[in-house]
Amino acid sequence: MENLYIHVPFCAKKCDYCAFYSVENSSRTMHERWLEKIRRDLQKNAHRLQQVKTLYFGGGTPTLPDHDLLEKIFQTVLSEIRLVPGAEITSEANPETITAERAAVLGKYVNRISMGVQSFREEKRKVLGRYPIHTEKIVPALSLLRDAGLNNIGVDLMYAVPGETLAQWKEDLKRAMDLGVEHLSAYALTPEENTPYAITHGLKAADDDLASDMWHTVDEVSAAYGMERYEISNYAKRGFEAKHNCNVWFGETYLGLGPSATSFDGTDRWTEQADLTAWLAGAEADWDRISRPARIREVLIMGLRTVKGWNKEKFSAATGCRTWCDAETKNILNALQDQGLISFNSESCRATKTGLEFWNSIAEQLIL
């Protein structure tokens, strides 16, 4: 497995919009039990983890555990795997958890931070149920991380939130860019069923035209700061693209450990139980075994999330296909090109800017 994902499922309080698996009000004892299970799973998968190119700690809130336990988490994982030289090691983080002690630990073990900000506006964070609602902690947290030697920091922002104007969205973008971050993830709010946000506000998304304007605005603002889009929702200064995510989009194998984590071995995909108690007890993962043609299409679809898209050589390396695509797939790609969603020829296939904005339409037409 070329890439490793560790799911840290603990949060101080789950944000209202979040559909990722996490648990609230967890104790240090529970954190230690989780880590011991992670250690055993790493040892069980040692044969798969000899040439790890990227390591990603996601959540949940990976920076929630006490700083001494956070250091033990990194030490445990790194002692059980073999990283290639120059491997990317990412940790997600929430501003309110960053203390000088935790920042020092992060600076010692990781080389990339992805920070969940969502917005610099207090009112918008309240609508999202983003907890804790302490906007003033964002800038000090980033300063602590810089002081700890981290020079690859990205922030997540969310747009198309009810009541938000285009001008307010531009303000959020500029505030993030003015902080000198190297990476930006900008996501439209998509209400998910059974989340507190959906229960309160319903499942209706923002006005399509406004959401589209906001999506295009990110290009305009980011370009002024030397940052370019490289995927539907992701922007970076040159050389600061998220390697872990890029590897996954381009069909590389990955092992996911922790409750709800997903793995892909090039043929099959499996997902751990989204239940901490069941996962700790050793519950079997859910397997997604589909036909080879369907899996090849799936790999093709994921690469089309990126601005570069596929070239024939890279696609063949990812799928083992001797030919660029079969006759049926070629007909669909030609139709997508006629719709203005992709640019396709015998050597390459990539989404147009319109195709990136409406990637779901591409996926719907290609999925088997």
Side-chain angles (χ1 to χ4, degrees):
M1 299 291 213
E2 299 164 293
N3 307 279
L4 175 61
Y5 174 81
I6 306 290
H7 189 70
V8 187
F10 308 114
C11 285
K13 184 180 183 302
K14 195 175 182 72
C15 298
D16 287 357
Y17 59 86
C18 182
F20 292 116
Y21 178 71
S22 63
V23 293
E24 301 177 345
N25 301 318
S26 53
S27 64
R28 183 183 175 101
T29 299
M30 183 59 75
H31 297 173
E32 291 172 338
R33 289 183 61 196
W34 166 86
L35 179 57
E36 175 57 24
K37 176 70 160 55
I38 290 290
R39 184 187 63 79
R40 295 197 305 270
D41 287 351
L42 286 167
Q43 292 175 346
K44 183 172 67 174
N45 288 280
H47 61 290
R48 290 180 163 131
L49 300 171
Q50 298 302 303
Q51 291 289 317
V52 177
K53 295 157 64 174
T54 69
L55 170 58
Y56 193 106
F57 294 87
T61 308
T63 50
L64 182 66
D66 296 332
H67 74 273
D68 61 319
L69 184 55
L70 183 64
E71 182 158 26
K72 187 177 179 182
I73 290 170
F74 292 135
Q75 289 175 338
T76 299
V77 174
L78 291 170
S79 69
E80 299 289 350
I81 66 176
R82 292 186 181 180
L83 293 171
V84 302
E88 177 189 83
I89 307 174
T90 301
S91 178
E92 293 180 354
N94 281 352
E96 61 273 9
T97 65
I98 300 301
T99 60
E101 294 80 9
R102 287 193 181 98
V105 172
L106 291 165
K108 187 175 178 181
Y109 293 99
V110 311
N111 51 35
R112 181 173 181 272
I113 294 290
S114 178
M115 180 172 286
V117 171
Q118 316 319 332
S119 179
F120 293 90
R121 294 177 51 244
E122 202 77 24
E123 180 182 350
K124 180 176 172 182
R125 288 166 67 87
K126 287 179 180 178
V127 172
L128 290 169
R130 185 72 170 89
Y131 179 87
I133 304 170
H134 294 311
T135 304
E136 71 277 5
K137 293 191 175 182
I138 296 170
V139 174
L142 289 170
S143 295
L144 286 170
L145 293 170
R146 294 292 190 197
D147 291 344
L150 286 151
N151 61 6
N152 186 354
I153 299 177
V155 298
D156 291 358
L157 295 179
M158 191 168 285
Y159 64 92
V161 175
E164 182 179 27
T165 66
L166 185 59
Q168 289 170 336
W169 172 231
K170 284 183 179 180
E171 180 186 346
D172 255 353
L173 287 170
K174 289 178 179 178
R175 288 193 67 179
M177 299 297 184
D178 285 340
L179 291 172
V181 296
E182 287 74 29
H183 189 279
L184 169 70
S185 297
Y187 302 103
L189 172 62
T190 303
E192 300 281 356
E193 288 187 8
N194 301 320
T195 59
Y197 178 90
I199 292 170
T200 302
H201 300 278
L203 293 172
K204 188 176 185 301
D207 175 78
D208 288 344
D209 290 339
L210 178 58
S212 178
D213 288 343
M214 289 177 169
W215 187 80
H216 286 278
T217 292
V218 189
D219 284 315
E220 171 194 325
V221 175
S222 63
Y225 290 83
M227 197 175 285
E228 295 182 349
R229 184 195 302 273
Y230 69 97
E231 189 267 349
I232 296 171
S233 302
N234 287 277
Y235 306 74
K237 295 177 180 177
R238 186 159 298 179
F240 288 93
E241 297 84 358
K243 294 177 183 177
H244 181 88
N245 292 341
C246 287
N247 293 349
V248 170
W249 293 325
F250 283 115
E252 289 193 9
T253 58
Y254 52 91
L255 180 67
L257 300 181
S260 80
T262 296
S263 303
F264 176 57
D265 65 3
T267 302
D268 293 324
R269 178 177 289 107
W270 62 95
T271 302
E272 301 296 329
Q273 294 296 318
D275 182 300
L276 179 58
T277 301
W279 175 78
L280 285 170
E284 287 294 317
D286 292 326
W287 285 76
D288 170 30
R289 291 188 169 99
I290 62 177
S291 68
R292 176 168 166 73
R295 189 66 78 198
I296 290 170
R297 288 268 193 99
E298 185 181 81
V299 171
L300 172 62
I301 290 166
M302 291 302 293
L304 292 177
R305 294 185 62 91
T306 68
V307 171
K308 289 183 178 179
W310 291 103
N311 61 48
K312 185 177 180 180
E313 182 179 348
K314 191 166 190 174
F315 185 72
S316 295
T319 62
C321 293
R322 294 182 180 179
T323 59
W324 176 225
C325 59
D326 57 41
E328 182 183 358
T329 304
K330 184 177 180 180
N331 288 337
I332 297 172
L333 293 175
N334 283 329
L336 287 167
Q337 183 162 246
D338 291 342
Q339 297 166 37
L341 297 177
I342 68 168
S343 174
F344 170 62
N345 58 41
S346 61
E347 295 300 321
S348 66
C349 183
R350 64 175 181 83
T352 62
K353 188 167 184 180
T354 300
L356 289 172
E357 185 177 5
F358 298 102
W359 175 84
N360 285 344
S361 180
I362 295 175
E364 288 168 2
Q365 295 180 60
L366 277 170
I367 198 75
L368 274 176

Coordinates of all heavy atoms in Angstrom, one line a residue, residues 35 51 73 105 112 116 164 228 271-272 302 314 329:
L35 N -5.5 3.9 20.2 CA -4.1 3.8 19.7 C -3.6 2.4 19.8 O -2.9 1.9 18.8 CB -3.2 4.7 20.5 CG -1.7 4.7 20.2 CD1 -1.5 5.1 18.7 CD2 -1.0 5.7 21.1
Q51 N 6.8 0.6 1.8 CA 7.2 1.7 0.9 C 6.1 2.8 0.9 O 5.4 3.0 -0.1 CB 7.5 1.2 -0.5 CG 8.7 0.4 -0.6 CD 10.0 1.2 -0.5 OE1 10.1 2.3 -1.0 NE2 10.9 0.6 0.3
I73 N 1.1 8.9 19.6 CA 0.4 8.5 18.4 C 1.4 8.5 17.2 O 1.5 7.5 16.5 CB -0.8 9.4 18.1 CG1 -1.9 9.1 19.2 CG2 -1.3 9.1 16.7 CD1 -3.0 10.1 19.1
V105 N 4.9 19.4 19.0 CA 4.8 18.0 18.6 C 4.6 17.8 17.1 O 5.2 17.0 16.4 CB 3.7 17.3 19.4 CG1 3.5 15.9 18.8 CG2 4.0 17.2 20.9
R112 N 3.1 18.7 7.0 CA 2.0 19.4 6.3 C 0.8 19.4 7.3 O 0.5 18.4 8.0 CB 1.6 18.7 5.0 CG 0.5 19.3 4.3 CD 0.2 18.7 2.9 NE -0.9 19.4 2.3 CZ -2.1 19.1 2.4 NH1 -2.5 18.0 3.2 NH2 -3.1 19.8 1.8
G116 N -8.9 23.1 9.7 CA -10.3 23.3 9.5 C -10.7 24.7 10.0 O -10.9 24.9 11.2
E164 N -25.1 34.0 3.2 CA -23.8 34.5 2.8 C -23.9 35.2 1.4 O -24.5 34.7 0.5 CB -22.8 33.3 2.8 CG -21.4 33.8 2.4 CD -20.4 32.6 2.4 OE1 -20.9 31.4 2.1 OE2 -19.2 32.8 2.6
E228 N -3.1 28.2 -7.6 CA -3.9 27.8 -8.8 C -4.8 26.6 -8.4 O -4.4 25.7 -7.5 CB -3.0 27.4 -9.9 CG -2.2 28.5 -10.5 CD -1.4 28.1 -11.7 OE1 -1.2 26.8 -11.9 OE2 -0.9 28.9 -12.4
T271 N -14.2 -0.9 3.8 CA -14.4 0.2 4.8 C -14.6 -0.4 6.2 O -15.4 -1.2 6.4 CB -15.6 1.1 4.4 OG1 -15.4 1.6 3.0 CG2 -15.7 2.2 5.3
E272 N -13.8 0.1 7.1 CA -14.0 -0.3 8.5 C -15.3 0.2 9.1 O -15.9 1.2 8.6 CB -12.8 0.3 9.4 CG -11.4 -0.1 8.9 CD -11.2 -1.6 9.1 OE1 -11.8 -2.2 10.0 OE2 -10.4 -2.2 8.2
M302 N -12.2 9.3 -11.0 CA -11.6 10.0 -9.9 C -10.4 10.9 -10.5 O -10.3 12.1 -10.0 CB -11.0 9.0 -8.9 CG -12.0 8.3 -8.1 SD -13.1 9.5 -7.2 CE -12.0 10.2 -6.0
K314 N -0.1 7.3 -17.9 CA -0.4 7.3 -16.4 C -1.6 6.4 -16.2 O -1.7 5.7 -15.2 CB -0.7 8.7 -15.9 CG -0.8 8.9 -14.4 CD -0.7 10.3 -14.0 CE -0.5 10.4 -12.5 NZ -0.3 11.8 -12.1
T329 N -16.6 2.8 -23.4 CA -16.1 3.9 -22.7 C -15.7 5.1 -23.6 O -16.0 6.2 -23.4 CB -14.9 3.5 -21.8 OG1 -15.2 2.5 -21.0 CG2 -14.4 4.7 -21.0

